[in-house]
Amino acid sequence: MIHHVRDVTFREDLHQARTSNGPAVMATLRNTAIGWHRTTGATNIARAIRQANRRSHDLITAVTSGYPRTQ
């Protein structure tokens, strides 16, 4: 399932990184993005990525801020 999302949404098979650690690093980054969107409740990853692209500042803030402490 995740390969299908990476292949269709990120067009992974068309990517030019084909040597050294490039493909593994890019696959890890794509998996991280997919996992992030799924944990935030997204069911359509392509839509979630388009929305995140329009509000990149919010995404950066969410990734770099710590989780709130529970008391």
Side-chain angles (χ1 to χ4, degrees):
M1 178 74 172
I2 196 163
H3 176 74
H4 176 74
V5 173
R6 285 193 340 232
D7 193 26
V8 173
T9 303
F10 290 103
R11 296 184 182 132
E12 188 174 57
D13 291 343
L14 298 177
H15 198 271
Q16 297 296 314
R18 303 213 188 277
T19 60
S20 189
N21 293 328
V25 169
M26 292 306 299
T28 301
L29 292 172
R30 291 179 184 114
N31 288 343
T32 302
I34 293 166
W36 172 261
H37 289 298
R38 287 206 173 133
T39 58
T40 58
T43 56
N44 184 324
I45 301 301
R47 181 184 308 134
I49 290 170
R50 286 190 303 269
Q51 290 172 348
N53 286 338
R54 287 190 292 259
R55 53 181 173 77
S56 59
H57 180 73
D58 292 344
L59 184 60
I60 292 168
T61 301
V63 171
T64 57
S65 67
Y67 289 102
R69 293 183 186 195
T70 57
Q71 295 188 18

